[in-house]
Amino acid sequence: MRRRNAAVPRGVYNATPIFAARAEGAVVEDVDGNRYLDFAGGIGCVNVGHRAPRVLAAIREQADAFLHTCFSVAPYGKYVELAEKLNSITPGNFPKKTMLVNSGAEAIENAVKIARGYTHRPAIVCFEDAFHGRTMLTMSLTSKTHPYKAGFEPFATDIYRIPYAYCYRCSYSLLYPACNVFCAHHLEDTFKRVVASEAVAAVVVEPVLGEGGFVAPPREFFTVLQEICRRHKILLIADEVQTGFGRTGAMFACERYWIVPDLLVSAKSIAGGLPLAAVTGRADIMDTPGVGGLGGTFGGNPVSCAAGLAAIETLERENLSARAEKLGERFDARARSWKKEFPLIGEVRGLGAMRALELVRSHETREPAKEETERVLHHCHEHGLIVISSGTYGNVIRLLVPLVVTDEQFEEGLNVLEAALASVSVSHAEAAPSRP
Ligand SMILES: Cc1ncc(COP(=O)(O)O)c(C=O)c1O
């Protein structure tokens, strides 16, 4: 760790004190031989598990054939096969096309380029608490100021932000369902007060907030957004970087919300742990940029494409979306009993196996319990569980466990989390001022 800190800038953050030596399924072993249950999955990149057998075999086979020719120089079949596969498994019964790049941020950048090219409009609407990446454009689309934006100004222009349906912390202090998803309807008001609808190319939205704290909006939020977008000929771009590939109990979270985006961005678990990302969308939209307008040297690397095809085959054959739903139910049942026991837990929420606990100092004020969250994570790391936080206030504990985790491993991990919550709750109660 000393060498890491001397050689790598501090901005490249570090969530756990662990140096990995090997990993398998839902287990990571560190360089000292300690075994950890992995409830973070490299931030949601190994839904099929570490070293999934099909993925490994595909990587080996491709590595034996060739590593790189650049798809734009000497194309290869695996890229095309993966594009066809993504075109067929993403929502929407219309002709689609897919382009491949290296990271979630790069894919979002491309989706915005394509949307602007297609609509000939400059503006993008995005959301409070959104996270779309760390490049100049995606950082500008991202909401949380520290550590993602502060000091990196100026940002890209023509970006407009509206509140997300974060009902636990509603920006309008309204209550669902009485609010009638005012936040979604408010987009119309934004077109009057902030930016004209005819200037807006796209609305970019995560179906469930990832870094923003695993907030899963009510279904009507998306129904209304989609309807408004369609009416104003604004493209709907779904950022499924963290929600995709089985995580929420469906291949893509849009399916859970019955929405069909014009462009869908995927990454993270797309290739079982190798770097790859995609923009998939309506063929006529995807074909807007001229020849050479899209691409990149390594985009859709053949090894990543082979891994991607194998990862999707694994998700389908092992029915990991259904497994995600089951894991989510189990988590929910345990977490709801914890909520009764530990006042630290303000809200239990999520969709499928994308579940979270939001920790607060008081149920009345909902003051975020950031330090307590860090102590819970620390306790988990010391007791063999890798788990990470999220949320604009850094007070959300999120579950991104590989979906191949066994029932025993899952319960073992939840036991560690429960013990951590109990231990931090005791010290939290002791530290609280006693009532007169
Ligand atoms: C929803 C979402 N979009 C975009 C990104 C950026 O992806 P990447 O880190 O691969 O650039 C992330 C990463 O966490 C994400 O969660």
Side-chain angles (χ1 to χ4, degrees):
M1 190 59 84
R2 221 175 24 248
R3 280 170 55 196
R4 178 212 191 276
N5 293 340
V8 181
R10 63 187 185 144
V12 181
Y13 81 105
N14 175 223
T16 72
I18 295 157
F19 271 85
R22 56 187 61 80
E24 192 82 40
V27 175
V28 171
E29 197 183 304
D30 77 2
V31 287
D32 299 319
N34 297 308
R35 169 188 168 274
Y36 296 88
L37 283 169
D38 183 5
F39 275 25
I43 322 188
C45 295
V46 286
N47 288 357
V48 294
H50 290 284
R51 300 179 78 245
R54 282 189 194 82
V55 172
L56 274 195
I59 290 172
R60 287 189 175 122
E61 194 186 326
Q62 182 57 45
D64 278 342
F66 62 96
L67 294 181
H68 176 75
T69 58
C70 183
F71 186 69
S72 296
V73 175
Y76 33 87
K78 289 278 189 284
Y79 187 121
V80 180
E81 266 182 69
L82 184 57
E84 288 169 347
K85 187 70 192 172
L86 288 166
N87 294 341
S88 78
I89 63 172
T90 45
N93 281 328
F94 39 73
K96 289 183 217 133
K97 290 195 173 181
T98 288
M99 69 165 296
L100 300 173
V101 288
N102 304 292
S103 69
E106 196 185 349
I108 295 285
E109 294 257 352
N110 277 281
V112 169
K113 271 170 67 173
I114 295 166
R116 283 177 169 161
Y118 178 78
T119 57
H120 299 291
R121 298 171 176 187
I124 304 294
V125 171
C126 58
F127 289 86
E128 288 177 2
D129 303 303
F131 183 90
H132 298 291
R134 288 182 172 85
T135 59
M136 190 53 73
L137 176 60
T138 58
M139 169 183 69
S140 306
L141 292 168
T142 289
S143 172
K144 188 171 173 172
T145 54
H146 294 88
Y148 302 131
K149 303 176 75 158
F152 300 132
E153 304 85 353
F155 304 125
T157 56
D158 286 295
I159 288 172
Y160 302 90
R161 193 175 307 283
I162 60 173
Y164 193 78
Y166 187 172
C167 301
Y168 187 65
R169 297 186 184 279
C170 177
S171 296
Y172 302 107
S173 300
L174 296 173
L175 278 181
Y176 177 80
C179 66
N180 189 26
V181 287
F182 176 81
C183 50
H185 289 287
H186 196 66
L187 182 52
E188 291 281 15
D189 202 59
T190 302
F191 295 152
K192 293 197 173 63
R193 289 179 155 151
V194 184
V195 57
S197 62
E198 62 271 26
V200 179
V203 169
V204 181
V205 66
E206 293 162 87
V208 178
L209 291 181
E211 304 305 300
F214 280 32
V215 175
R219 184 172 286 156
E220 311 92 278
F221 176 69
F222 290 107
T223 317
V224 172
L225 269 190
Q226 178 167 270
E227 188 278 316
I228 295 176
C229 285
R230 294 270 145 85
R231 196 151 31 80
H232 292 280
K233 300 191 170 19
I234 293 168
L235 301 185
L236 186 64
I237 301 178
D239 180 343
E240 290 246 21
V241 169
Q242 197 155 158
T243 50
F245 302 102
R247 173 58 47 191
T248 65
M251 190 59 95
F252 294 101
C254 284
E255 298 165 48
R256 305 272 339 232
Y257 285 114
W258 304 339
I259 50 167
V260 179
D262 299 290
L263 300 175
L264 186 149
V265 174
S266 60
K268 288 198 186 283
S269 267
I270 185 173
L274 287 201
L276 188 68
V279 185
T280 303
R282 274 174 36 202
D284 56 329
I285 299 174
M286 292 294 292
D287 266 335
T288 317
V291 174
L294 303 176
T297 307
F298 280 119
N301 169 270
V303 185
S304 294
C305 288
L309 285 163
I312 295 171
E313 187 186 340
T314 303
L315 285 161
E316 288 181 334
R317 284 193 185 225
E318 297 181 15
N319 203 1
L320 292 180
S321 298
R323 176 71 180 150
E325 190 63 10
K326 280 268 163 315
L327 291 171
E329 283 165 12
R330 271 168 179 253
F331 178 84
D332 210 51
R334 293 273 306 257
R336 289 199 185 280
S337 75
W338 297 341
K339 189 163 185 281
K340 290 190 196 124
E341 208 177 329
F342 308 125
L344 254 187
I345 300 179
E347 190 174 54
V348 176
R349 60 170 178 253
L351 192 64
M354 192 167 182
R355 297 272 166 176
L357 307 173
E358 174 154 358
L359 304 191
V360 291
R361 292 227 163 110
S362 138
H363 281 238
E364 287 72 43
T365 64
R366 300 190 175 180
E367 182 191 346
K370 184 173 189 300
E371 277 165 35
E372 290 82 349
T373 304
E374 279 161 12
R375 281 175 18 226
V376 169
L377 298 183
H378 182 72
H379 185 287
C380 290
H381 300 158
E382 292 213 313
H383 293 80
L385 179 67
I386 300 175
V387 60
I388 53 175
S389 64
S390 64
T392 298
Y393 308 95
N395 65 327
V396 178
I397 294 173
R398 57 172 153 170
L399 180 73
L400 284 169
V401 66
L403 304 175
V404 294
V405 66
T406 66
D407 287 348
E408 296 71 29
Q409 289 170 335
F410 194 54
E411 292 303 325
E412 190 187 334
L414 294 182
N415 292 343
V416 175
L417 183 52
E418 180 176 321
L421 288 163
S423 137
V424 174
S425 292
V426 168
S427 49
H428 174 76
E430 279 167 359
S434 53
R435 282 171 196 276

